[in-house]
Amino acid sequence: LTHRLDAAETLAENPGLKARLPEILAGAYARARIEATAQTGLPESIFPVALPYDLGAVMTREIPWEG
């Protein structure tokens, strides 16, 4: 949740970043996919190649362990 707040604050302070969000999200997801593979021991192919959520979902989607 704090990451979402940090991201929203950064976007508010730097509106020019909004145009780069697809690129930024794709890069962050690619890194997260590699980290998830390393942490879980599961094959990389089990995780979707592309981020399965749009920015709205990334910023608002419920996170089960935060419930």
Side-chain angles (χ1 to χ4, degrees):
L1 183 57
T2 59
H3 293 297
R4 290 178 182 178
L5 296 173
D6 291 343
E9 184 177 313
T10 299
L11 288 171
E13 293 172 355
N14 303 282
L17 288 176
K18 288 182 182 177
R20 294 192 51 222
L21 280 177
E23 171 190 344
I24 293 167
L25 283 174
Y29 180 73
R31 286 186 300 279
R33 188 172 179 247
I34 291 167
E35 288 178 20
T37 298
Q39 289 178 8
T40 64
L42 296 170
E44 190 172 325
S45 61
I46 202 164
F47 302 101
V49 174
L51 177 65
Y53 307 105
D54 63 14
L55 177 62
V58 168
M59 295 301 287
T60 62
R61 185 172 171 266
E62 181 178 333
I63 301 172
W65 58 87
E66 287 187 349

